Amino acid sequence: MLLTGAEILIKSLIDEGVKTIFGYPGGSVLNIYDELYKYSKEINHILTSHEQGAAHAADGYSRATGRVGVCLATSGPGATNLVTGIATAYMDSVPMVAITGNVPKALLGKDSFQEVDITGITIPITKHNYIVKDVNELQNIIREAFYIAQEGRPGPVLIDIPKDITANKAIYEKLIPKNVEKKEKHITAKSLEEVALLINECNRPFIYAGGGVNIAGASEEVIRFAEKINAPLATTLMSTSAIPCNHRLYTGMIGMHGTKASNVAATKCDLLITLGARFSDRVISSPDHIKNAKIVQLEVDPAEVNKNVKVDAFIIGDLKVSLESLMPLINNKKNEEWLNNINNLKTIKKLEMPEEGPLTPKFLFEKLDKFDKGDFIITTEVGQHQMWAAQYFNYKTPRTFISSGGLGTMGFGLGASIGAQMAKKDKRVFNIAGDGSFGMNCNELVTAVKNNLPIIVIIMNNNSLGMVRQWQSLFYEERYSETTLNRSTDFVKLAEAFGAKGLRVSMKENLEEVLKDALNTNGPVVIDYIIHSDKKVFPMVAPGEPIDQIIMEEDLK
């Protein structure tokens, strides 16, 4: 069948199982958008307000489902506006295919109107990228891109298509997607035996579970593993929701804003078992701080083994398969004294300090949790509110916490919430934002309203760039350089101007009523939740300090 490049692209996306894409049209992708018009019954295109929002929406769609998210932009500024979203996906190992148009081949390299070398720009932040110079190669490139995005450690792939390629014709033949097999070939008997020996010999095991648990769909395997060896278990920010928060072995988040139980356990264990994690500086602070324990690492990406921390044994391969292969080799363990010590740390309650104002982050999330039956998805922007969302909400099922971890992208959450809501129409999506982060990409409210998405945005409004202000308070002698916002924005009126419902909470007494109102609204809602600008995220570990040197709120009082 002889088809244009644009039609080959759309039919190939359909062949890959794509139902929804997020994008913004422009001159170089007009042929593609013309085909999208013709194939609108097969592919639902969501027009965002900005290309960055399209990338974040594709990212959120992928994180909520595990499938490949797809975004589309024109050449030049359209393509460069995707860059932050692509980098966000790359840092957090999110499978995404970003498609950009470009000027015709004859104009490449001539500083033509709206021309950029987007493949050159995105080399460091993609698993692979392509510029298509022959329409006969287009179909195989698309098929290969989807495979690469999902294979092994997932990540974004970019396909740049000059405009004349979308008009040229080539033979199209329906192809089934390239099969993505779990990586198993490096899971050797030797590596399994070495890891099992260390586990069987240890007395104080501790599990540090990273984002790879969600990516591999290995939550059940991790729980069974932890229960068999009776090891306390912590999650990173990226693996939040992978383990039910009420599980008896769960100690909470680990790292800079981790719990006392998790951080102390990491320094007092005799075996640190690392599952799908990369020893981020925000987790371990410095490798010297965990040198008293032996370390094993189960990881799909061999480049992450011995990169940040020297380990004593490792298994390279798909985490789910690795754990299934390891389980028969390990003994049942009790570790009663060790577990009692960690449980004692878990039961230490933070001293209740006088609150500066009537509303607190903890109060919000505890109240929100009472409405959740396991079908809430929480997306976040980046900052204090992000940490509070990870610390205080009671997550029950995997892939229900979606946040930018590695890149820390302010403005991520609203686009991601749109993608997650499009993917999971049976669930309710909340985007937890700070007033600073919300200001970056609040224009995507237009997208939520146009598509009548029942997203609830909760703005933790403290009139500041809260996390940066917190650092200025603790480490810069309260020199609040450019972190007090002093903006006159009325978020309720802003929401209404976009066509959403706007609500405000300024007293504890009306929070429950406002949440009920929001949940009963068939469409987007923005809740302005007023908190004090000096409210801080605790516990906290100062940068570079040992992770068991924990600053608590009462320490400052």
Side-chain angles (χ1 to χ4, degrees):
M1 189 187 310
L2 195 64
L3 301 177
T4 65
E7 192 169 5
I8 289 171
L9 170 63
I10 301 305
K11 290 185 78 68
S12 297
L13 293 177
I14 294 169
D15 291 344
E16 293 291 335
V18 176
K19 306 287 187 189
T20 303
I21 69 173
F22 305 88
Y24 205 96
S28 291
V29 288
L30 277 173
N31 293 331
I32 297 171
Y33 271 86
D34 193 48
E35 293 303 328
L36 278 170
Y37 182 89
K38 298 172 187 176
Y39 284 88
S40 59
K41 291 183 179 179
E42 285 82 5
I43 292 186
N44 182 22
H45 177 274
I46 303 299
L47 175 66
T48 56
S49 293
H50 189 282
E51 290 90 352
Q52 184 178 341
H56 293 327
D59 184 317
Y61 184 96
S62 179
R63 295 193 205 215
T65 62
R67 300 194 298 270
V68 178
V70 182
C71 56
L72 171 62
T74 193
S75 62
T80 57
N81 283 343
L82 293 178
V83 168
T84 297
I86 294 170
T88 301
Y90 182 76
M91 290 291 283
D92 291 344
S93 305
V94 178
M96 175 196 292
V97 170
I99 300 164
T100 55
N102 213 327
V103 299
K105 282 192 302 176
L107 296 178
L108 290 172
K110 297 182 178 180
D111 294 330
S112 306
F113 177 68
Q114 290 193 332
E115 180 201 358
V116 295
D117 178 10
I118 193 62
T119 52
I121 289 169
T122 58
I123 284 173
I125 56 168
T126 53
K127 280 188 75 176
H128 194 65
N129 64 24
Y130 303 85
I131 181 166
V132 184
K133 294 189 175 180
D134 184 346
V135 69
N136 294 292
E137 298 174 354
L138 178 59
Q139 186 177 6
N140 283 329
I141 285 175
I142 296 162
R143 187 166 178 259
E144 189 175 74
F146 274 80
Y147 172 78
I148 291 172
Q150 300 170 83
E151 183 269 342
R153 180 179 179 174
V157 178
L158 180 133
I159 307 172
D160 191 38
I161 312 175
K163 187 173 183 179
D164 53 332
I165 297 297
T166 65
N168 294 345
K169 292 187 176 183
I171 297 293
Y172 161 82
E173 180 181 353
K174 184 179 176 64
L175 300 174
I176 61 171
K178 195 172 180 180
N179 186 38
V180 180
E181 296 181 350
K182 294 181 183 296
K183 276 200 168 181
E184 300 181 35
K185 67 177 182 179
H186 295 299
I187 303 175
T188 63
K190 183 174 183 289
S191 65
L192 290 167
E193 289 166 3
E194 288 174 347
V195 169
L197 179 64
L198 290 173
I199 292 172
N200 290 334
E201 289 181 343
C202 75
N203 296 307
R204 301 187 307 279
F206 179 64
I207 298 171
Y208 150 40
V213 177
N214 270 328
I215 293 168
S219 295
E220 292 183 6
E221 287 74 17
V222 171
I223 292 169
R224 285 200 296 270
F225 172 68
E227 289 173 345
K228 185 168 186 177
I229 65 172
N230 257 319
L233 164 64
T235 53
T236 64
L237 181 73
M238 292 312 303
S239 56
T240 299
S241 80
I243 307 300
C245 291
N246 61 0
H247 193 279
R248 66 178 180 86
L249 294 172
Y250 185 59
T251 59
M253 189 164 66
I254 185 173
M256 179 174 280
H257 294 292
T259 65
K260 190 164 189 175
S262 294
N263 285 11
V264 170
T267 60
K268 301 299 183 185
C269 65
D270 62 359
L271 181 66
L272 181 61
I273 303 168
T274 308
L275 306 177
R278 58 187 179 86
F279 297 99
S280 161
D281 58 295
R282 284 296 177 98
V283 172
I284 62 163
S285 189
S286 168
D288 294 337
H289 305 149
I290 55 171
K291 62 184 178 182
N292 294 325
K294 290 188 175 180
I295 302 171
V296 299
Q297 185 175 9
L298 278 64
E299 171 60 46
V300 74
D301 184 359
E304 292 295 345
V305 177
N306 291 323
K307 185 178 86 171
N308 294 327
V309 169
K310 178 71 174 174
V311 301
D312 297 279
F314 57 84
I315 301 170
I316 295 173
D318 179 83
L319 182 60
K320 190 181 183 85
V321 178
S322 296
L323 287 171
E324 289 170 345
S325 303
L326 183 63
M327 285 287 280
L329 305 179
I330 59 175
N331 301 329
N332 290 302
K333 301 173 76 72
K334 291 186 177 179
N335 308 317
E336 290 179 355
E337 183 179 353
W338 169 237
L339 274 179
N340 286 337
N341 289 338
I342 300 305
N343 286 334
N344 287 336
L345 289 172
K346 285 170 64 175
T347 57
I348 294 174
K349 299 295 183 184
K350 191 173 76 169
L351 181 63
E352 288 296 323
M353 307 303 294
E355 299 288 356
E356 296 87 350
L359 290 174
T360 66
K362 186 176 182 182
F363 180 74
L364 168 67
F365 289 108
E366 287 179 345
K367 187 68 71 174
L368 186 62
D369 183 59
K370 291 180 180 178
F371 288 94
D372 181 30
K373 302 295 187 292
D375 58 354
F376 285 0
I377 294 176
I378 305 292
T379 69
T380 80
E381 309 289 349
V382 169
Q384 288 178 313
H385 57 278
Q386 176 189 31
M387 297 300 128
W388 289 322
Q391 290 175 335
Y392 292 135
F393 192 73
N394 180 29
Y395 296 93
K396 303 168 182 67
T397 53
R399 294 190 180 275
T400 54
F401 177 79
I402 296 173
S403 191
S404 170
L407 197 63
T409 305
M410 292 176 69
F412 166 80
L414 185 52
S417 70
I418 290 168
Q421 190 70 79
M422 290 299 305
K424 297 289 185 177
K425 293 184 172 63
D426 59 329
K427 297 185 180 293
R428 204 63 189 268
V429 178
F430 289 79
N431 180 42
I432 307 302
D435 45 337
S437 282
F438 183 71
M440 291 210 167
N441 285 328
C442 63
N443 52 344
E444 292 305 336
L445 271 178
V446 170
T447 311
V449 170
K450 180 182 177 182
N451 292 278
N452 198 37
L453 301 176
I455 294 162
I456 299 173
V457 180
I458 302 179
I459 302 172
M460 311 287 279
N461 186 352
N462 59 5
N463 190 40
S464 69
L465 303 178
M467 188 63 87
V468 186
R469 179 186 171 90
Q470 177 166 329
W471 282 46
Q472 289 173 334
S473 175
L474 297 176
F475 311 124
Y476 291 86
E477 299 177 339
E478 299 184 351
R479 293 187 294 274
Y480 299 126
S481 177
E482 301 302 324
T483 52
T484 302
L485 294 177
N486 282 335
R487 294 171 179 169
S488 300
T489 307
D490 184 325
F491 291 117
V492 172
K493 290 181 179 177
L494 181 68
E496 292 170 349
F498 277 117
K501 176 178 279 191
L503 301 169
R504 181 172 289 113
V505 179
S506 55
M507 299 182 299
K508 286 184 176 179
E509 290 75 18
N510 67 344
L511 175 58
E512 187 167 343
E513 180 182 343
V514 166
L515 288 174
K516 285 180 179 177
D517 189 358
L519 286 165
N520 288 326
T521 300
N522 184 26
V525 179
V526 175
I527 300 174
D528 186 15
Y529 187 84
I530 311 297
I531 60 173
H532 197 279
S533 59
D534 284 327
K535 189 65 184 169
K536 295 178 175 63
V537 179
F538 290 109
M540 181 180 182
V541 177
E545 294 297 316
I547 62 170
D548 60 346
Q549 300 299 305
I550 302 163
I551 304 170
M552 306 292 282
E553 187 171 8
E554 53 266 32
D555 297 332
L556 299 185
K557 299 290 182 180

